[in-house]
Amino acid sequence: MLLEVKGITKRFRAEQVLQDLHFSLEAHHTLSILGQSGSGKTTMLKILAGLESADAGEVWLNGERLTDHKAGQRGVVYLYQEDLLFPHLDVVGNIGFGLSLRKVPRQELSDRVHDMIRRLELVGQEHKMPHQLSGGQRQRVSFGRAIITNPRLLLLDEPFGSLDTGTRQRMQQLFQQLAAEFRITSLFVTHDLKEALLMGDQLGLMQQGHLKVYPSKEAFMQDPETGVQSEQAFWTSMGAGSE
């Protein structure tokens, strides 16, 4: 397993936010985690990224104990719902920012950035500033900036939550394409049931600080707590009522 989480626990004052989390994730797979606001999803991601410390437990990535390293040393990228682009950099500058920090030679950097722009379907937008882009375009740039550095682990925290339905569907498809092409290993957290089913190779449910990871999509769909059965029953009844 590439990622192993062992016994992660976190409390904020009197509130137990995470309770003894144990799960693992294979390389080049996406674990999609369904959970409502306040279930502990964001706190878990911040601990994996090194932005919060756990009260107990360990995080291992490719045999290396991540809890020994600071955030910038983990090779982990955390994407928020907000795109958080640099307002003073254009599309090229934002996407290439991580490569420039790594002192990638100028021609290689240019080639990789323009290849990513092509993959993101942003040709013609190269020199636009963030405020000149649509919400979907900004999220594409944010994705490109994250993926171009080939992170060891990509963490996505409700990344499409602020987008309209059509743009959200296109971004879901784009992420799946890029994840396959770049062999990305990721955690994708969402409160949307359909999105969770669509995005994950593995599926988990987080409730009140507890995380349950299912052995298969079928097991996830058969568990009444996930809400799949009730949604299926609702649409079945709607169909019957329209006859």
Side-chain angles (χ1 to χ4, degrees):
M1 291 293 178
L2 181 87
L3 174 67
E4 293 183 275
V5 174
K6 303 177 180 180
I8 291 295
T9 299
K10 180 68 176 180
R11 175 186 291 273
F12 289 117
R13 296 180 181 175
E15 182 183 4
Q16 189 72 45
V17 180
L18 299 176
Q19 304 192 46
D20 196 28
L21 300 188
H22 288 267
F23 66 92
S24 59
L25 178 61
E26 294 182 34
H28 318 311
H29 281 63
T30 294
L31 171 59
S32 185
I33 298 175
L34 177 69
Q36 299 304 312
S37 298
S39 62
K41 307 187 306 298
T42 294
T43 299
M44 176 191 68
L45 292 185
K46 287 184 175 180
I47 288 173
L48 296 182
L51 303 175
E52 290 276 2
S53 59
D55 296 334
E58 299 178 333
V59 180
W60 293 77
L61 188 62
N62 199 24
E64 183 179 0
R65 190 174 184 268
L66 279 193
T67 33
D68 292 333
H69 300 295
K70 296 179 181 179
Q73 302 170 331
R74 297 188 176 200
V76 176
V77 172
Y78 182 12
L79 282 183
Y80 300 79
Q81 181 174 333
E82 300 81 12
D83 52 72
L84 300 181
L85 300 180
F86 298 111
H88 63 289
L89 296 178
D90 62 10
V91 169
V92 169
N94 266 287
I95 292 177
F97 183 78
L99 297 181
S100 64
L101 288 181
R102 298 181 182 190
K103 309 298 183 184
V104 172
R106 181 177 298 179
Q107 188 58 54
E108 179 187 347
L109 187 152
S110 178
D111 290 345
R112 289 172 64 178
V113 168
H114 283 88
D115 178 64
M116 179 59 71
I117 286 172
R118 178 186 58 80
R119 293 171 185 270
L120 295 169
E121 300 176 359
L122 288 171
V123 173
Q125 314 297 321
E126 292 89 342
H127 300 297
K128 286 188 176 181
M129 307 302 284
H131 72 274
Q132 297 174 306
L133 303 172
S134 68
Q137 288 173 331
R138 289 195 299 271
Q139 196 63 279
R140 285 171 186 256
V141 174
S142 182
F143 260 42
R145 184 175 65 186
I147 292 173
I148 201 169
T149 60
N150 292 313
R152 300 165 71 192
L153 179 66
L154 180 61
L155 308 175
L156 301 110
D157 192 355
E158 303 270 7
F160 311 137
S162 63
L163 302 177
D164 63 78
T165 301
T167 304
R168 186 170 187 158
Q169 291 175 345
R170 290 194 293 275
M171 288 302 302
Q172 290 167 347
Q173 294 167 358
L174 178 64
F175 171 71
Q176 290 175 315
Q177 293 168 5
L178 291 175
E181 290 178 24
F182 286 85
R183 298 172 64 80
I184 295 294
T185 307
S186 63
L187 268 68
F188 190 108
V189 305
T190 179
H191 67 270
D192 185 275
L193 175 58
K194 292 180 181 177
E195 186 168 69
L197 284 165
L198 178 66
M199 304 308 292
D201 301 298
Q202 292 178 250
L203 288 157
L205 176 66
M206 181 163 275
Q207 294 176 305
Q208 299 178 329
H210 294 277
L211 177 63
K212 180 178 182 180
V213 177
Y214 295 81
S216 65
K217 280 194 175 183
E218 290 72 21
F220 177 88
M221 295 174 71
Q222 290 169 7
D223 185 348
E225 292 188 349
T226 65
V228 175
Q229 293 181 349
S230 58
E231 181 151 327
Q232 288 177 330
F234 170 77
W235 288 110
T236 299
S237 66
M238 289 291 289
S242 63
E243 291 178 1

